[in-house]
mmCIF file with all atom_site columns, all heavy atoms in Angstrom:
data_model
loop_
_atom_site.group_PDB
_atom_site.id
_atom_site.type_symbol
_atom_site.label_atom_id
_atom_site.label_alt_id
_atom_site.label_comp_id
_atom_site.label_asym_id
_atom_site.label_entity_id
_atom_site.label_seq_id
_atom_site.pdbx_PDB_ins_code
_atom_site.Cartn_x
_atom_site.Cartn_y
_atom_site.Cartn_z
_atom_site.occupancy
_atom_site.B_iso_or_equiv
_atom_site.pdbx_formal_charge
_atom_site.auth_seq_id
_atom_site.auth_comp_id
_atom_site.auth_asym_id
_atom_site.auth_atom_id
_atom_site.pdbx_PDB_model_num
ATOM 1   N N   . SER U 1 149 ? 50.096 -8.604  -46.979 1.00 96.00 ? 149 SER U N   1
ATOM 2   C CA  . SER U 1 149 ? 48.711 -8.474  -46.506 1.00 96.00 ? 149 SER U CA  1
ATOM 3   C C   . SER U 1 149 ? 48.250 -9.707  -45.732 1.00 96.00 ? 149 SER U C   1
ATOM 4   O O   . SER U 1 149 ? 47.379 -9.615  -44.887 1.00 96.00 ? 149 SER U O   1
ATOM 5   C CB  . SER U 1 149 ? 47.772 -8.185  -47.669 1.00 96.00 ? 149 SER U CB  1
ATOM 6   O OG  . SER U 1 149 ? 47.874 -9.221  -48.601 1.00 96.00 ? 149 SER U OG  1
ATOM 7   N N   . LYS U 1 150 ? 48.885 -10.869 -45.985 1.00 96.00 ? 150 LYS U N   1
ATOM 8   C CA  . LYS U 1 150 ? 48.430 -12.077 -45.276 1.00 96.00 ? 150 LYS U CA  1
ATOM 9   C C   . LYS U 1 150 ? 48.591 -11.931 -43.756 1.00 96.00 ? 150 LYS U C   1
ATOM 10  O O   . LYS U 1 150 ? 47.842 -12.520 -42.990 1.00 96.00 ? 150 LYS U O   1
ATOM 11  C CB  . LYS U 1 150 ? 49.147 -13.326 -45.793 1.00 96.00 ? 150 LYS U CB  1
ATOM 12  C CG  . LYS U 1 150 ? 50.618 -13.389 -45.482 1.00 96.00 ? 150 LYS U CG  1
ATOM 13  C CD  . LYS U 1 150 ? 51.255 -14.689 -45.956 1.00 96.00 ? 150 LYS U CD  1
ATOM 14  C CE  . LYS U 1 150 ? 52.730 -14.677 -45.653 1.00 96.00 ? 150 LYS U CE  1
ATOM 15  N NZ  . LYS U 1 150 ? 53.500 -15.746 -46.177 1.00 96.00 ? 150 LYS U NZ  1
ATOM 16  N N   . TYR U 1 151 ? 49.573 -11.142 -43.332 1.00 96.00 ? 151 TYR U N   1
ATOM 17  C CA  . TYR U 1 151 ? 49.773 -10.959 -41.887 1.00 96.00 ? 151 TYR U CA  1
ATOM 18  C C   . TYR U 1 151 ? 48.865 -9.874  -41.317 1.00 96.00 ? 151 TYR U C   1
ATOM 19  O O   . TYR U 1 151 ? 48.741 -9.720  -40.109 1.00 96.00 ? 151 TYR U O   1
ATOM 20  C CB  . TYR U 1 151 ? 51.221 -10.558 -41.582 1.00 96.00 ? 151 TYR U CB  1
ATOM 21  C CG  . TYR U 1 151 ? 52.230 -11.646 -41.879 1.00 96.00 ? 151 TYR U CG  1
ATOM 22  C CD1 . TYR U 1 151 ? 53.350 -11.384 -42.665 1.00 96.00 ? 151 TYR U CD1 1
ATOM 23  C CD2 . TYR U 1 151 ? 52.056 -12.937 -41.367 1.00 96.00 ? 151 TYR U CD2 1
ATOM 24  C CE1 . TYR U 1 151 ? 54.271 -12.380 -42.940 1.00 96.00 ? 151 TYR U CE1 1
ATOM 25  C CE2 . TYR U 1 151 ? 52.978 -13.929 -41.649 1.00 96.00 ? 151 TYR U CE2 1
ATOM 26  C CZ  . TYR U 1 151 ? 54.084 -13.648 -42.439 1.00 96.00 ? 151 TYR U CZ  1
ATOM 27  O OH  . TYR U 1 151 ? 54.985 -14.633 -42.704 1.00 96.00 ? 151 TYR U OH  1
ATOM 28  N N   . GLN U 1 152 ? 48.261 -9.079  -42.206 1.00 97.00 ? 152 GLN U N   1
ATOM 29  C CA  . GLN U 1 152 ? 47.533 -7.889  -41.768 1.00 97.00 ? 152 GLN U CA  1
ATOM 30  C C   . GLN U 1 152 ? 46.023 -8.079  -41.763 1.00 97.00 ? 152 GLN U C   1
ATOM 31  O O   . GLN U 1 152 ? 45.327 -7.499  -40.929 1.00 97.00 ? 152 GLN U O   1
ATOM 32  C CB  . GLN U 1 152 ? 47.857 -6.704  -42.700 1.00 97.00 ? 152 GLN U CB  1
ATOM 33  C CG  . GLN U 1 152 ? 49.327 -6.367  -42.777 1.00 97.00 ? 152 GLN U CG  1
ATOM 34  C CD  . GLN U 1 152 ? 49.625 -5.379  -43.890 1.00 97.00 ? 152 GLN U CD  1
ATOM 35  O OE1 . GLN U 1 152 ? 48.859 -5.257  -44.847 1.00 97.00 ? 152 GLN U OE1 1
ATOM 36  N NE2 . GLN U 1 152 ? 50.732 -4.672  -43.780 1.00 97.00 ? 152 GLN U NE2 1
ATOM 37  N N   . LYS U 1 153 ? 45.522 -8.909  -42.703 1.00 96.00 ? 153 LYS U N   1
ATOM 38  C CA  . LYS U 1 153 ? 44.097 -8.793  -43.038 1.00 96.00 ? 153 LYS U CA  1
ATOM 39  C C   . LYS U 1 153 ? 43.141 -9.124  -41.877 1.00 96.00 ? 153 LYS U C   1
ATOM 40  O O   . LYS U 1 153 ? 42.064 -8.554  -41.805 1.00 96.00 ? 153 LYS U O   1
ATOM 41  C CB  . LYS U 1 153 ? 43.746 -9.587  -44.291 1.00 96.00 ? 153 LYS U CB  1
ATOM 42  C CG  . LYS U 1 153 ? 44.061 -11.071 -44.277 1.00 96.00 ? 153 LYS U CG  1
ATOM 43  C CD  . LYS U 1 153 ? 43.628 -11.692 -45.596 1.00 96.00 ? 153 LYS U CD  1
ATOM 44  C CE  . LYS U 1 153 ? 43.740 -13.193 -45.559 1.00 96.00 ? 153 LYS U CE  1
ATOM 45  N NZ  . LYS U 1 153 ? 45.048 -13.695 -45.972 1.00 96.00 ? 153 LYS U NZ  1
ATOM 46  N N   . ALA U 1 154 ? 43.541 -9.983  -40.956 1.00 97.00 ? 154 ALA U N   1
ATOM 47  C CA  . ALA U 1 154 ? 42.645 -10.327 -39.838 1.00 97.00 ? 154 ALA U CA  1
ATOM 48  C C   . ALA U 1 154 ? 42.621 -9.244  -38.772 1.00 97.00 ? 154 ALA U C   1
ATOM 49  O O   . ALA U 1 154 ? 41.812 -9.327  -37.839 1.00 97.00 ? 154 ALA U O   1
ATOM 50  C CB  . ALA U 1 154 ? 43.079 -11.651 -39.221 1.00 97.00 ? 154 ALA U CB  1
ATOM 51  N N   . PHE U 1 155 ? 43.469 -8.251  -38.885 1.00 97.00 ? 155 PHE U N   1
ATOM 52  C CA  . PHE U 1 155 ? 43.661 -7.342  -37.743 1.00 97.00 ? 155 PHE U CA  1
ATOM 53  C C   . PHE U 1 155 ? 43.362 -5.880  -38.075 1.00 97.00 ? 155 PHE U C   1
ATOM 54  O O   . PHE U 1 155 ? 43.786 -4.976  -37.364 1.00 97.00 ? 155 PHE U O   1
ATOM 55  C CB  . PHE U 1 155 ? 45.093 -7.482  -37.209 1.00 97.00 ? 155 PHE U CB  1
ATOM 56  C CG  . PHE U 1 155 ? 45.423 -8.914  -36.900 1.00 97.00 ? 155 PHE U CG  1
ATOM 57  C CD1 . PHE U 1 155 ? 46.285 -9.635  -37.705 1.00 97.00 ? 155 PHE U CD1 1
ATOM 58  C CD2 . PHE U 1 155 ? 44.811 -9.549  -35.832 1.00 97.00 ? 155 PHE U CD2 1
ATOM 59  C CE1 . PHE U 1 155 ? 46.561 -10.973 -37.445 1.00 97.00 ? 155 PHE U CE1 1
ATOM 60  C CE2 . PHE U 1 155 ? 45.080 -10.889 -35.555 1.00 97.00 ? 155 PHE U CE2 1
ATOM 61  C CZ  . PHE U 1 155 ? 45.952 -11.597 -36.369 1.00 97.00 ? 155 PHE U CZ  1
ATOM 62  N N   . THR U 1 156 ? 42.644 -5.661  -39.147 1.00 97.00 ? 156 THR U N   1
ATOM 63  C CA  . THR U 1 156 ? 42.291 -4.288  -39.512 1.00 97.00 ? 156 THR U CA  1
ATOM 64  C C   . THR U 1 156 ? 41.332 -3.702  -38.475 1.00 97.00 ? 156 THR U C   1
ATOM 65  O O   . THR U 1 156 ? 40.628 -4.478  -37.798 1.00 97.00 ? 156 THR U O   1
ATOM 66  C CB  . THR U 1 156 ? 41.630 -4.258  -40.901 1.00 97.00 ? 156 THR U CB  1
ATOM 67  O OG1 . THR U 1 156 ? 40.547 -5.180  -40.880 1.00 97.00 ? 156 THR U OG1 1
ATOM 68  C CG2 . THR U 1 156 ? 42.612 -4.644  -41.979 1.00 97.00 ? 156 THR U CG2 1
ATOM 69  N N   . PRO U 1 157 ? 41.243 -2.414  -38.261 1.00 97.00 ? 157 PRO U N   1
ATOM 70  C CA  . PRO U 1 157 ? 41.966 -1.379  -38.984 1.00 97.00 ? 157 PRO U CA  1
ATOM 71  C C   . PRO U 1 157 ? 43.417 -1.259  -38.529 1.00 97.00 ? 157 PRO U C   1
ATOM 72  O O   . PRO U 1 157 ? 43.717 -1.393  -37.338 1.00 97.00 ? 157 PRO U O   1
ATOM 73  C CB  . PRO U 1 157 ? 41.191 -0.101  -38.645 1.00 97.00 ? 157 PRO U CB  1
ATOM 74  C CG  . PRO U 1 157 ? 40.579 -0.378  -37.306 1.00 97.00 ? 157 PRO U CG  1
ATOM 75  C CD  . PRO U 1 157 ? 40.299 -1.852  -37.274 1.00 97.00 ? 157 PRO U CD  1
ATOM 76  N N   . LEU U 1 158 ? 44.263 -1.017  -39.511 1.00 98.00 ? 158 LEU U N   1
ATOM 77  C CA  . LEU U 1 158 ? 45.694 -0.869  -39.225 1.00 98.00 ? 158 LEU U CA  1
ATOM 78  C C   . LEU U 1 158 ? 46.019 0.603   -38.992 1.00 98.00 ? 158 LEU U C   1
ATOM 79  O O   . LEU U 1 158 ? 45.313 1.486   -39.483 1.00 98.00 ? 158 LEU U O   1
ATOM 80  C CB  . LEU U 1 158 ? 46.504 -1.377  -40.420 1.00 98.00 ? 158 LEU U CB  1
ATOM 81  C CG  . LEU U 1 158 ? 46.264 -2.835  -40.813 1.00 98.00 ? 158 LEU U CG  1
ATOM 82  C CD1 . LEU U 1 158 ? 46.995 -3.150  -42.113 1.00 98.00 ? 158 LEU U CD1 1
ATOM 83  C CD2 . LEU U 1 158 ? 46.709 -3.786  -39.716 1.00 98.00 ? 158 LEU U CD2 1
ATOM 84  N N   . PRO U 1 159 ? 47.093 0.891   -38.277 1.00 98.00 ? 159 PRO U N   1
ATOM 85  C CA  . PRO U 1 159 ? 47.492 2.286   -38.118 1.00 98.00 ? 159 PRO U CA  1
ATOM 86  C C   . PRO U 1 159 ? 47.766 2.922   -39.483 1.00 98.00 ? 159 PRO U C   1
ATOM 87  O O   . PRO U 1 159 ? 48.358 2.274   -40.354 1.00 98.00 ? 159 PRO U O   1
ATOM 88  C CB  . PRO U 1 159 ? 48.792 2.209   -37.306 1.00 98.00 ? 159 PRO U CB  1
ATOM 89  C CG  . PRO U 1 159 ? 48.904 0.814   -36.827 1.00 98.00 ? 159 PRO U CG  1
ATOM 90  C CD  . PRO U 1 159 ? 47.997 -0.045  -37.634 1.00 98.00 ? 159 PRO U CD  1
ATOM 91  N N   . PRO U 1 160 ? 47.313 4.150   -39.698 1.00 98.00 ? 160 PRO U N   1
ATOM 92  C CA  . PRO U 1 160 ? 47.521 4.781   -41.000 1.00 98.00 ? 160 PRO U CA  1
ATOM 93  C C   . PRO U 1 160 ? 48.959 5.265   -41.186 1.00 98.00 ? 160 PRO U C   1
ATOM 94  O O   . PRO U 1 160 ? 49.737 5.323   -40.238 1.00 98.00 ? 160 PRO U O   1
ATOM 95  C CB  . PRO U 1 160 ? 46.560 5.977   -40.966 1.00 98.00 ? 160 PRO U CB  1
ATOM 96  C CG  . PRO U 1 160 ? 46.373 6.275   -39.518 1.00 98.00 ? 160 PRO U CG  1
ATOM 97  C CD  . PRO U 1 160 ? 46.585 4.994   -38.751 1.00 98.00 ? 160 PRO U CD  1
ATOM 98  N N   . GLY U 1 161 ? 49.285 5.613   -42.429 1.00 98.00 ? 161 GLY U N   1
ATOM 99  C CA  . GLY U 1 161 ? 50.557 6.293   -42.690 1.00 98.00 ? 161 GLY U CA  1
ATOM 100 C C   . GLY U 1 161 ? 51.650 5.384   -43.214 1.00 98.00 ? 161 GLY U C   1
ATOM 101 O O   . GLY U 1 161 ? 52.817 5.778   -43.206 1.00 98.00 ? 161 GLY U O   1
ATOM 102 N N   . PHE U 1 162 ? 51.298 4.170   -43.676 1.00 98.00 ? 162 PHE U N   1
ATOM 103 C CA  . PHE U 1 162 ? 52.338 3.289   -44.235 1.00 98.00 ? 162 PHE U CA  1
ATOM 104 C C   . PHE U 1 162 ? 52.113 3.108   -45.732 1.00 98.00 ? 162 PHE U C   1
ATOM 105 O O   . PHE U 1 162 ? 50.981 2.980   -46.185 1.00 98.00 ? 162 PHE U O   1
ATOM 106 C CB  . PHE U 1 162 ? 52.311 1.926   -43.530 1.00 98.00 ? 162 PHE U CB  1
ATOM 107 C CG  . PHE U 1 162 ? 52.852 1.992   -42.131 1.00 98.00 ? 162 PHE U CG  1
ATOM 108 C CD1 . PHE U 1 162 ? 52.028 2.405   -41.080 1.00 98.00 ? 162 PHE U CD1 1
ATOM 109 C CD2 . PHE U 1 162 ? 54.167 1.679   -41.855 1.00 98.00 ? 162 PHE U CD2 1
ATOM 110 C CE1 . PHE U 1 162 ? 52.524 2.489   -39.777 1.00 98.00 ? 162 PHE U CE1 1
ATOM 111 C CE2 . PHE U 1 162 ? 54.669 1.758   -40.555 1.00 98.00 ? 162 PHE U CE2 1
ATOM 112 C CZ  . PHE U 1 162 ? 53.843 2.165   -39.516 1.00 98.00 ? 162 PHE U CZ  1
ATOM 113 N N   . MET U 1 163 ? 53.184 3.127   -46.486 1.00 98.00 ? 163 MET U N   1
ATOM 114 C CA  . MET U 1 163 ? 53.110 2.919   -47.939 1.00 98.00 ? 163 MET U CA  1
ATOM 115 C C   . MET U 1 163 ? 54.122 1.838   -48.311 1.00 98.00 ? 163 MET U C   1
ATOM 116 O O   . MET U 1 163 ? 55.148 1.716   -47.663 1.00 98.00 ? 163 MET U O   1
ATOM 117 C CB  . MET U 1 163 ? 53.519 4.194   -48.675 1.00 98.00 ? 163 MET U CB  1
ATOM 118 C CG  . MET U 1 163 ? 52.617 5.367   -48.412 1.00 98.00 ? 163 MET U CG  1
ATOM 119 S SD  . MET U 1 163 ? 53.306 6.812   -49.203 1.00 98.00 ? 163 MET U SD  1
ATOM 120 C CE  . MET U 1 163 ? 52.977 6.444   -50.916 1.00 98.00 ? 163 MET U CE  1
ATOM 121 N N   . TYR U 1 164 ? 53.817 1.118   -49.372 1.00 98.00 ? 164 TYR U N   1
ATOM 122 C CA  . TYR U 1 164 ? 54.681 -0.008  -49.757 1.00 98.00 ? 164 TYR U CA  1
ATOM 123 C C   . TYR U 1 164 ? 55.166 0.154   -51.186 1.00 98.00 ? 164 TYR U C   1
ATOM 124 O O   . TYR U 1 164 ? 54.411 0.585   -52.049 1.00 98.00 ? 164 TYR U O   1
ATOM 125 C CB  . TYR U 1 164 ? 53.897 -1.330  -49.626 1.00 98.00 ? 164 TYR U CB  1
ATOM 126 C CG  . TYR U 1 164 ? 53.173 -1.416  -48.309 1.00 98.00 ? 164 TYR U CG  1
ATOM 127 C CD1 . TYR U 1 164 ? 51.809 -1.132  -48.242 1.00 98.00 ? 164 TYR U CD1 1
ATOM 128 C CD2 . TYR U 1 164 ? 53.848 -1.719  -47.138 1.00 98.00 ? 164 TYR U CD2 1
ATOM 129 C CE1 . TYR U 1 164 ? 51.138 -1.170  -47.030 1.00 98.00 ? 164 TYR U CE1 1
ATOM 130 C CE2 . TYR U 1 164 ? 53.186 -1.752  -45.923 1.00 98.00 ? 164 TYR U CE2 1
ATOM 131 C CZ  . TYR U 1 164 ? 51.832 -1.478  -45.866 1.00 98.00 ? 164 TYR U CZ  1
ATOM 132 O OH  . TYR U 1 164 ? 51.170 -1.491  -44.671 1.00 98.00 ? 164 TYR U OH  1
#
Side-chain angles (χ1 to χ4, degrees):
S149 59
K150 68 177 178 187
Y151 293 129
Q152 302 169 338
K153 57 179 188 271
F155 307 107
T156 53
L158 302 173
F162 287 83
M163 297 174 73
Y164 312 100

